[in-house]
């Protein structure tokens, strides 16, 4: 198949969505499909990323470093590109991105189907008096159009699929997120008391809840330590809070680190995931399990599925510091058994790429 990904964002930009797109596009070329990415941002121009052709246009009117817009007339130009290139299908991702709207309309104007993948499980959670209401308006207009008019709608978790249907998708199927297989050749040291936070340092992600829980455990006599991996507007505030709570000597806060370092930090450790944002499916849970680690998390999409599949996932009763502290206290006293060998294989990209190719072929 000739597949065009029409997306707002793509590597070298970093993030969970970008990693999903990178591994999916590269994987599709690995199994013989022809993939072109049409995106906006920088660096502008045309490049070859492995076997994937990437065409990047200018991003206009950026909003909070989250959303930006293509040039007027992009729909018409992309339609022409799709026709002249004899593409078979268009893939778009996340309902509120302008390129998703443009991609669906361009695909239909070119007479080919569009498949949309939803990566969020709810309206954007933001304390901003502008971003929250504005994003909801976009969801209920452009987002609803994308979900209603795409020929097939997928969600990266059951919660994301349900949200897509509430917003207007006639039907949404689950297409779970995935990870690259572990490269570890030996089993790491089992260290359940090493508590790792991975994520953006922004309100709602839970960095403050994590630090407070670590401080509570230390006060109760538990010799836990940890790492906070990630960058963001609240990084300095996180370091200040760690110092205030007296855990700056036991919790390393290096900021953003490479993906391979994240996997090394998770090896044999415990991922602590106290987010209250509208997550789709956090691959860090899978990465922790793949690296012979465990997960203690707030109720988030995908957590119950992993736990019910036999993964070492503990889910708190509530989304509070007290509930997280209580869950961790019981956990460090008696950690659950590690995942059985091979159990994580079905959640890796080689398996998921074949699944996605079959969906596109069916459409």
């Amino acid at each position: 198949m000739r597949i065009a990904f029409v997306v707002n964002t793509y590597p070298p930009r970093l993030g969970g969505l970008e990693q999903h797109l990178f591994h999916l596009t590269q994987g599709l070329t690995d199994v013989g499909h022809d993939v072109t990415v049409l995106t906006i941002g920088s660096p502008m121009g045309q490049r070859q990323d492995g076997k994937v052709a990437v065409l990047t246009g200018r991003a206009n009117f950026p909003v909070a470093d989250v959303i930006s817009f293509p040039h007027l007339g992009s729909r018409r130009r992309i339609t022409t590109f799709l026709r002249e290139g004899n593409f078979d299908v268009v893939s778009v991702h996340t309902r509120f991105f302008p390129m998703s709207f443009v991609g669906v309309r361009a695909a239909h104007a070119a007479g080919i189907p569009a498949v949309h993948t939803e990566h969020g499980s709810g309206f954007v959670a933001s304390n901003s008096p502008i971003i929250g209401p504005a994003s909801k308006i976009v969801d209920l207009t452009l987002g609803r159009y994308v979900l209603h008019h795409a020929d097939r709608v997928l969600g990266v978790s059951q919660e994301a699929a349900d949200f897509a249907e509430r917003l207007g998708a006639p039907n949404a199927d689950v297409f779970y997120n995935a990870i690259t297989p572990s490269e570890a050749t030996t089993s790491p040291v089992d260290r359940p008391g090493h508590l790792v936070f991975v994520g953006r340092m922004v309100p709602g992600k839970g960095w403050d809840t994590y630090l407070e829980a670590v401080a509570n455990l230390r006060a109760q006599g538990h010799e836990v330590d940890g790492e906070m991996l990630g960058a963001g507007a609240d990084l300095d505030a996180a370091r200040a809070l760690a110092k205030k709570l007296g855990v700056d000597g036991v919790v390393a806060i290096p900021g953003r680190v490479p993906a391979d370092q994240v996997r090394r930090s998770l090896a044999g450790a415990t991922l602590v995931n106290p987010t209250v944002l509208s997550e789709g499916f956090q691959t860090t849970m899978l990465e922790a399990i793949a690296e012979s680690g465990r997960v203690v998390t707030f109720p988030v999409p995908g957590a119950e599925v992993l736990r019910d599949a036999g993964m070492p996932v503990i889910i708190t009763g509530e989304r509070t510091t007290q509930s997280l502290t209580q869950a961790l206290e019981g956990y460090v006293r008696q950690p659950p058994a590690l995942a059985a060998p091979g159990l994580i294989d079905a959640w890796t990209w080689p398996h998921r790429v074949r699944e996605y190719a079959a969906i596109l072929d069916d459409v």
Side-chain angles (χ1 to χ4, degrees), residues 42-77:
S42 60
M44 291 188 294
Q46 182 172 349
R47 73 181 195 273
Q48 199 70 24
D49 192 354
K51 299 177 183 178
V52 177
V54 182
L55 283 69
T56 306
R58 183 184 300 277
N60 303 287
F61 312 113
V63 179
D65 198 34
V66 175
I67 298 177
S68 53
F69 299 82
H71 279 307
L72 290 175
S74 292
R75 196 282 301 163
R76 175 178 51 80
R77 289 193 293 273

Side-chain angles (χ1 to χ4, degrees), residues 189-243:
V189 175
D190 191 20
R191 45 179 188 156
H194 187 67
L195 311 179
V196 182
F197 172 95
V198 181
R200 291 173 294 136
M201 301 296 181
V202 295
K205 200 67 174 176
W207 57 266
D208 47 351
T209 304
Y210 162 85
L211 288 172
E212 290 164 357
V214 171
N216 291 342
L217 290 170
R218 298 281 299 184
Q220 294 167 7
H222 298 289
E223 295 297 320
V224 296
D225 57 17
E227 298 174 69
M228 293 184 70
L229 308 178
D234 291 347
L235 180 57
D236 289 339
R239 288 169 172 159
L241 180 59
K243 186 174 183 179

Side-chain angles (χ1 to χ4, degrees), residues 150-188:
D151 297 277
R152 186 80 170 265
V153 176
L154 311 172
V156 295
S157 66
Q158 185 61 60
E159 291 84 349
D162 292 343
F163 177 62
E165 290 184 353
R166 292 198 302 272
L167 265 185
N171 180 66
D173 299 311
V174 177
F175 174 72
Y176 285 114
N177 219 333
I179 59 170
T180 57
S182 174
E183 296 182 354
T185 56
T186 59
S187 297

Side-chain angles (χ1 to χ4, degrees), residues 26-42:
Q26 297 289 338
L28 287 168
T29 63
D30 288 342
V31 294
H33 301 291
D34 185 295
V35 177
T36 298
V37 174
L38 305 177
T39 187
I40 55 177
S42 60

Side-chain angles (χ1 to χ4, degrees), residues 15-356:
L17 171 60
E18 291 80 7
Q19 287 300 302
H20 179 103
L21 292 170
F22 175 80
H23 291 297
L24 184 55
T25 55
Q26 297 289 338
L28 287 168
T29 63
D30 288 342
V31 294
H33 301 291
D34 185 295
V35 177
T36 298
V37 174
L38 305 177
T39 187
I40 55 177
S42 60
M44 291 188 294
Q46 182 172 349
R47 73 181 195 273
Q48 199 70 24
D49 192 354
K51 299 177 183 178
V52 177
V54 182
L55 283 69
T56 306
R58 183 184 300 277
N60 303 287
F61 312 113
V63 179
D65 198 34
V66 175
I67 298 177
S68 53
F69 299 82
H71 279 307
L72 290 175
S74 292
R75 196 282 301 163
R76 175 178 51 80
R77 289 193 293 273
I78 292 175
T79 297
T80 300
F81 180 83
L82 296 173
R83 284 173 175 161
E84 293 179 349
N86 294 315
F87 283 88
D88 298 298
V89 63
V90 165
S91 175
V92 299
H93 294 254
T94 302
R95 80 279 170 192
F96 58 70
F97 282 134
M99 287 291 277
S100 296
F101 176 75
V102 170
V104 170
R105 294 190 66 235
H108 290 168
I112 63 176
V115 175
H116 173 77
T117 302
E118 185 50 53
H119 293 256
S121 60
F123 294 112
V124 174
S126 173
N127 295 325
S128 168
I130 297 176
I131 294 176
S135 63
K136 191 169 185 178
I137 291 172
V138 173
D139 278 342
L140 296 174
T141 52
L142 299 184
R144 179 163 284 172
Y145 179 95
V146 169
L147 293 165
H148 184 72
H149 288 85
D151 297 277
R152 186 80 170 265
V153 176
L154 311 172
V156 295
S157 66
Q158 185 61 60
E159 291 84 349
D162 292 343
F163 177 62
E165 290 184 353
R166 292 198 302 272
L167 265 185
N171 180 66
D173 299 311
V174 177
F175 174 72
Y176 285 114
N177 219 333
I179 59 170
T180 57
S182 174
E183 296 182 354
T185 56
T186 59
S187 297
V189 175
D190 191 20
R191 45 179 188 156
H194 187 67
L195 311 179
V196 182
F197 172 95
V198 181
R200 291 173 294 136
M201 301 296 181
V202 295
K205 200 67 174 176
W207 57 266
D208 47 351
T209 304
Y210 162 85
L211 288 172
E212 290 164 357
V214 171
N216 291 342
L217 290 170
R218 298 281 299 184
Q220 294 167 7
H222 298 289
E223 295 297 320
V224 296
D225 57 17
E227 298 174 69
M228 293 184 70
L229 308 178
D234 291 347
L235 180 57
D236 289 339
R239 288 169 172 159
L241 180 59
K243 186 174 183 179
K244 178 181 178 181
L245 294 172
V247 296
D248 53 319
V250 294
V251 176
I253 310 179
R256 186 186 300 279
V257 299
D260 57 348
Q261 184 174 333
V262 172
R263 298 287 283 258
R264 289 196 298 271
S265 293
L266 290 171
T270 301
L271 173 71
V272 180
N273 184 44
T275 180
V276 296
L277 300 181
S278 301
E279 308 285 359
F281 190 110
Q282 295 167 282
T283 55
T284 48
M285 293 190 294
L286 296 173
E287 290 174 339
I289 296 165
E291 302 300 337
S292 301
R294 302 173 177 87
V295 177
V296 178
T297 180
F298 277 4
V300 295
E304 285 190 18
V305 172
L306 296 178
R307 182 190 63 189
D308 294 346
M311 311 284 190
V313 177
I314 303 295
I315 305 173
T316 65
E318 299 176 350
R319 295 183 174 187
T320 64
T321 301
Q322 181 181 5
S323 185
L324 179 63
T325 302
Q326 290 174 345
L328 283 169
E329 185 177 20
Y331 165 84
V332 296
R333 292 182 186 278
Q334 189 173 0
L338 296 174
L343 191 59
I344 199 69
D345 291 351
W347 296 85
T348 59
W349 276 116
H351 176 92
R352 201 66 78 231
V353 162
R354 292 191 295 272
E355 181 183 345
Y356 192 76

